[in-house]
């Protein structure tokens, strides 16, 4: 799953370790999410969205395109 985590984190000048502390996960987890090697659980995705005060859809792209 593609995501904007690295860009959002960089905008705030947070290290991976800083974000990991805020989310109560390891720095390695943040690295894996940023590099697309790990998709966060739904509760963690919601927690990430709350930290950045953004909708989940703004941070994560599942590749699904709506047929509006």
């Amino acid at each position: 799953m593609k995501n904007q985590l690295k860009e959002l984190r960089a905008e705030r000048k947070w290290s991976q370790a800083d974000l990991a502390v805020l989310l109560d996960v390891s720095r390695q987890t943040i690295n894996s999410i940023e590099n697309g090697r790990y998709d966060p659980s739904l509760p963690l995705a919601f927690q990430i969205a709350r930290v950045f005060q953004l909708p989940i859809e703004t941070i994560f792209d599942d590749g699904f395109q709506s047929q509006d």
Side-chain angles (χ1 to χ4, degrees):
M1 176 179 341
K2 294 181 182 180
N3 67 73
Q4 300 299 314
L5 197 58
K6 186 173 187 174
E7 293 82 3
L8 292 168
R9 180 178 58 76
E11 287 173 5
R12 288 156 179 80
K13 296 183 174 45
W14 293 344
S15 68
Q16 288 181 343
D18 293 334
L19 183 55
V21 168
L22 290 171
L23 297 170
D24 195 28
V25 298
S26 70
R27 185 202 58 78
Q28 291 84 354
T29 297
I30 301 300
N31 183 272
S32 292
I33 295 170
E34 286 183 356
N35 290 301
R37 291 190 306 266
Y38 173 73
D39 291 337
S41 65
L42 193 53
L44 180 54
F46 273 106
Q47 192 176 359
I48 291 167
R50 279 192 297 272
V51 164
F52 288 105
Q53 298 179 334
L54 294 168
I56 287 176
E57 301 85 22
T58 302
I59 302 169
F60 298 99
D61 178 6
D62 65 359
F64 179 79
Q65 296 205 336
S66 177
Q67 299 293 323
D68 292 341

